[in-house]
Amino acid sequence: MTERIVILGGGTGGTLSANRLRRRLGDDVEITVVDRDDDHVYQPGLLFVPFRPAGAGGLVRSRRRQLHAGVGYHRAGVRQVRQG
């Protein structure tokens, strides 16, 4: 049986964790990130929004694009967490 790791939340912490686990564990485990939307905002860049004519649009990318190959993504909200 394949071991699974499910990461709830695809923000910076969830994305970094998933990518680092993929590098460390290889293909021995199934890694999936769950988040309710597909918009990943590069928050440090928000500091510069008032000084750029383009605004915040360039700071938003697809969460899937931020995840390494072999990391799954499931777009959904989370209502309950159960072990088992």
Side-chain angles (χ1 to χ4, degrees):
M1 177 181 269
T2 303
E3 289 189 55
R4 286 186 183 161
I5 298 173
V6 178
I7 298 172
L8 304 179
T12 302
T15 299
L16 286 172
S17 296
N19 290 337
R20 287 183 180 181
L21 285 168
R22 172 54 60 219
R23 279 195 304 268
R24 176 175 278 180
L25 302 175
D27 294 329
D28 293 339
V29 298
E30 180 182 322
I31 301 172
T32 303
V33 174
V34 178
D35 201 287
R36 68 179 150 231
D37 65 54
D38 192 35
D39 293 335
H40 177 84
V41 178
Y42 179 67
Q43 292 182 356
L46 294 174
L47 174 67
F48 301 104
V49 169
F51 308 106
R52 294 192 314 194
L59 302 175
V60 179
R61 293 199 174 111
S62 167
R63 290 191 193 283
R64 290 173 200 224
R65 284 186 52 204
Q66 306 305 310
L67 298 169
H68 289 180
V71 175
Y73 175 76
H74 184 70
R75 185 175 175 179
V78 177
R79 287 181 279 174
Q80 182 178 3
V81 177
R82 292 186 287 156
Q83 182 178 355

